[in-house]
Amino acid sequence: GGRVHALVQKPEGEGPFPTVFDIHGGPTWHDSDAFAAQPAAWVDHGYAVVRVNYRGSTGYGREWTDALKHRVGLIELEDIAAVRAWAVESGLADPRRLVLTGGSWGGYLTLLGLGTQPDDWAVGIAAVPVADYVTAYHDEMEALKSLDRTLFGGGPDEVPERFAASSPLTYVDRVRAPVYISAGVNDPRCPIRQVENYVERLVGRGHPHEVYRYDAGHGSLVVAERVKQVGLELDFARRHLPDADADGR
């Protein structure tokens, strides 16, 4: 699709670092070279942070923004995988200590990436994600249904194979990394029922995971709540990433 633009923040010291791929939502949005609190928190705790403006992002022309139609999620993850390969080959990122994370569409790509690229990620942290695309479609706001029909070329009854190929639930049994999910119980954009469907499958597998449900919608505007959520994510990564000096056996 072309060259992929990514932003990199590094802590002090020499790499390779434990590295967080912090994936933006939207998908029609982009990360810019400006201060953002959450990446700064990761850097303060010794992580490098990579933010990828995958196909679907704004700011790179209409063709780039429109490229994800029909292969929703999968195209973005191709770009993220390309940047991941660069980050490892360049010596920035420790391939055994890679965190895939994001909120909203970034949370969706996190869960989809954990299932379609299971060997690439050590930990997954998804906030307010799409986890079961068909159920999400039926429960979400009408405006988002219209957007999904545009992206997929129809609804789930018309193009079921496209929805299945792009749904994290399809690949949940392939997930290897521990999974952390936070979700608002009153979220109209990424409704809670479809998240619970995904979690139920993790429970059925006995797969390591944690879920934080909070009494709000698509994220929280309460500063204390947002700080708490960042702390929970940092703690989950700390507990589940391998130690730097482990030999991998």
Side-chain angles (χ1 to χ4, degrees), residues 8 14 21 24 26 30 36 43 54 56 78 83 90 93 96 107-108 126 139 151 165 170 172 179 182 209 225 227-228:
V8 176
E14 296 295 324
F21 277 69
H24 73 74
H30 66 273
V43 173
Y54 51 76
E78 289 176 2
V83 177
S90 69
R96 296 181 304 107
Y108 159 61
D139 289 356
L151 291 176
T170 301
V172 65
V179 182
S182 60
H209 71 282
E225 176 63 28
V227 170
K228 176 183 179 181

Side-chain angles (χ1 to χ4, degrees), residues 116-154:
T116 60
Q117 302 167 348
D119 296 328
D120 288 353
W121 309 105
V123 168
I125 298 174
V128 291
V130 174
D132 168 3
Y133 220 127
V134 173
T135 301
Y137 176 87
H138 288 302
D139 289 356
E140 69 193 7
M141 302 182 300
E142 192 58 42
L144 291 179
K145 290 182 180 179
S146 178
L147 172 62
D148 284 340
R149 288 193 296 269
T150 299
L151 291 176
F152 285 96

Side-chain angles (χ1 to χ4, degrees), residues 36-224:
Q38 189 146 335
W42 286 107
V43 173
D44 283 348
H45 284 77
Y47 297 85
V49 176
V50 179
R51 293 181 288 163
V52 182
N53 284 329
Y54 51 76
R55 276 172 288 176
S57 302
T58 54
Y60 302 90
R62 176 59 61 185
E63 183 177 354
W64 189 265
T65 301
D66 289 347
L68 58 83
K69 289 183 179 178
H70 298 180
R71 293 186 61 241
V72 177
L74 304 173
I75 286 176
E76 301 97 295
L77 286 167
E78 289 176 2
D79 294 345
I80 293 166
V83 177
R84 178 200 180 278
W86 166 83
V88 171
E89 292 165 6
S90 69
L92 171 73
D94 181 343
R96 296 181 304 107
R97 296 191 293 159
L98 293 177
V99 178
L100 185 60
T101 186
S104 193
W105 197 266
Y108 159 61
L109 293 177
T110 294
L111 295 184
L112 188 63
L114 295 179
T116 60
Q117 302 167 348
D119 296 328
D120 288 353
W121 309 105
V123 168
I125 298 174
V128 291
V130 174
D132 168 3
Y133 220 127
V134 173
T135 301
Y137 176 87
H138 288 302
D139 289 356
E140 69 193 7
M141 302 182 300
E142 192 58 42
L144 291 179
K145 290 182 180 179
S146 178
L147 172 62
D148 284 340
R149 288 193 296 269
T150 299
L151 291 176
F152 285 96
D157 294 334
E158 301 165 293
V159 286
E161 71 288 350
R162 291 178 183 170
F163 275 80
S166 295
S167 179
L169 189 67
T170 301
Y171 310 98
V172 65
D173 291 336
R174 297 177 56 192
V175 172
R176 297 178 60 185
V179 182
Y180 177 90
I181 298 174
S182 60
V185 297
N186 301 308
D187 190 343
R189 299 181 67 88
C190 297
I192 191 68
R193 183 168 72 105
Q194 52 93 26
V195 172
E196 300 293 6
N197 290 347
Y198 187 90
V199 171
E200 183 177 333
R201 291 281 295 275
L202 292 177
V203 171
R205 291 181 57 200
H207 187 79
H209 71 282
E210 293 178 15
V211 184
Y212 175 66
R213 302 169 181 86
Y214 57 95
D215 188 15
H218 196 61
S220 175
L221 298 177
V222 178
V223 172

